[in-house]
Amino acid sequence: MSFGAYQEKGHPMAASQGRLHGTTAVVTGASSGIGRATALRLAEEGAAVVLVARREDKIGEVADAISAQGGRAVTAALDIADADAAARAVETAVSEFGRLDILVNAAGVMLNGDTLQAELREWDAMVDVNLKGLMYMTKAALPHLLDAAKTSDRQVSDVVNISSVAGRAAAPTVAIYNATKFGVTAATESWRQEYTRSNVRFSVVEPGAVDTGLFGHQQQHAQEQSATMFAGVEKLHPEDIADAVAYIATSPRRRAVNEMVVRPTDQA
């Protein structure tokens, strides 16, 4: 694990005047895809961002991009499937920026394929990252989010969990990924009910097909199946989901977005 700080360089940016100015966000999976796009988007809105992922070089690049635009970011290179490491990521936000207002659980693994051909380590990886890592991050963040909701000018804090349309409908060769994403959606709703009167908003975003590297990690048969399924479909960009997260996090206290499904226009 390592932490690297990146400070403002005097470049004018929305960071000094954005709707999230004065807040701190932790984004997991920030090295690529939806996590990366979300971190950049929240920084544009003025949030200081803690970038969490295992690939230190990649989150360093994201931090440099934020810094170059006048924003503030620190990196936390660690594995959120380790509960102690997840807790350290949250503590980094508090020690570096003095608070935590927004948690975006965007880290995800998709290793779909024929059940008989699947390796148990692939199933374990999906459960560890998609579900357990999200649980560990949320557990560690909650005390700080509750405090932010009470003491901040916004009078609200946010947890945004990135699930999937695979958390709404099951499909062949997707059993374990389905299980983790159904779990994310269910846990988010339960937490929403538990903490809604404390002004901690829990939201789940369920993307359809997004143009990220996740599809390339599946078994070859599953990759071919996906290619056929999404032939002719203009996939979403990671920035489309980042916009959805920003809409949720910048909403006034009175408005809570509980669940948002975002599919490509062409996706049935």
Side-chain angles (χ1 to χ4, degrees):
M1 180 190 70
S2 64
F3 299 112
Y6 296 75
Q7 301 300 325
E8 293 190 19
K9 296 183 178 178
H11 193 290
M13 179 189 174
S16 62
Q17 55 192 342
R19 291 175 290 180
L20 295 177
H21 176 65
T23 68
T24 299
V26 171
V27 181
T28 70
S31 59
S32 62
I34 291 171
R36 180 183 187 278
T38 297
L40 292 168
R41 184 73 175 83
L42 295 180
E44 288 177 2
E45 289 288 352
V49 185
V50 178
L51 307 164
V52 182
R54 289 176 293 184
R55 294 181 290 178
E56 184 172 9
D57 58 333
K58 293 297 183 181
I59 51 176
E61 292 171 5
V62 180
D64 284 340
I66 291 172
S67 180
Q69 294 299 317
R72 296 182 298 158
V74 297
T75 63
L78 49 79
D79 185 355
I80 61 169
D82 180 325
D84 291 336
R88 290 196 298 272
V90 170
E91 288 304 321
T92 298
V94 178
S95 63
E96 292 287 339
F97 300 119
R99 60 185 305 105
L100 177 57
D101 304 85
I102 301 162
L103 170 63
V104 182
N105 286 306
V109 178
M110 183 170 66
L111 301 171
N112 297 331
D114 181 84
T115 296
L116 288 175
Q117 301 299 321
E119 298 184 22
L120 288 179
R121 63 179 180 82
E122 295 175 337
W123 290 5
D124 286 339
M126 285 189 280
V127 172
D128 286 347
V129 175
N130 299 357
L131 197 53
K132 291 169 69 175
L134 178 146
M135 291 160 50
Y136 296 153
M137 290 296 302
T138 302
K139 175 74 169 176
L142 258 173
H144 305 290
L145 295 167
L146 287 164
D147 181 68
K150 291 178 182 177
T151 62
S152 69
D153 292 340
R154 296 170 73 233
Q155 293 295 293
V156 72
S157 59
D158 288 281
V159 178
V160 184
N161 292 329
I162 306 301
S163 182
S164 168
V165 293
R168 299 171 61 84
T173 73
V174 189
I176 308 308
Y177 187 70
N178 279 147
T180 63
K181 291 305 185 178
F182 268 75
V184 169
T185 300
T188 305
E189 172 59 15
S190 178
W191 283 324
R192 183 196 71 78
Q193 294 180 30
E194 185 174 358
Y195 290 102
T196 186
R197 291 301 182 96
S198 299
N199 287 345
V200 180
R201 299 183 295 202
F202 277 84
S203 306
V204 63
V205 179
E206 298 158 325
V210 183
D211 188 11
T212 71
L214 283 181
F215 288 97
H217 299 159
Q218 304 178 101
Q219 293 177 18
Q220 184 61 37
H221 172 69
Q223 291 186 45
E224 294 170 357
Q225 190 176 45
S226 294
T228 299
M229 180 182 302
F230 297 117
V233 173
E234 183 182 2
K235 291 181 180 178
L236 298 170
H237 296 177
E239 291 77 13
D240 295 322
I241 307 306
D243 285 344
V245 175
Y247 175 79
I248 290 168
T250 60
S251 289
R253 193 211 65 81
R254 68 180 182 276
R255 183 173 70 215
V257 181
N258 305 151
E259 183 178 13
M260 185 183 292
V261 180
V262 187
R263 289 188 180 92
T265 300
D266 307 317
Q267 185 175 347

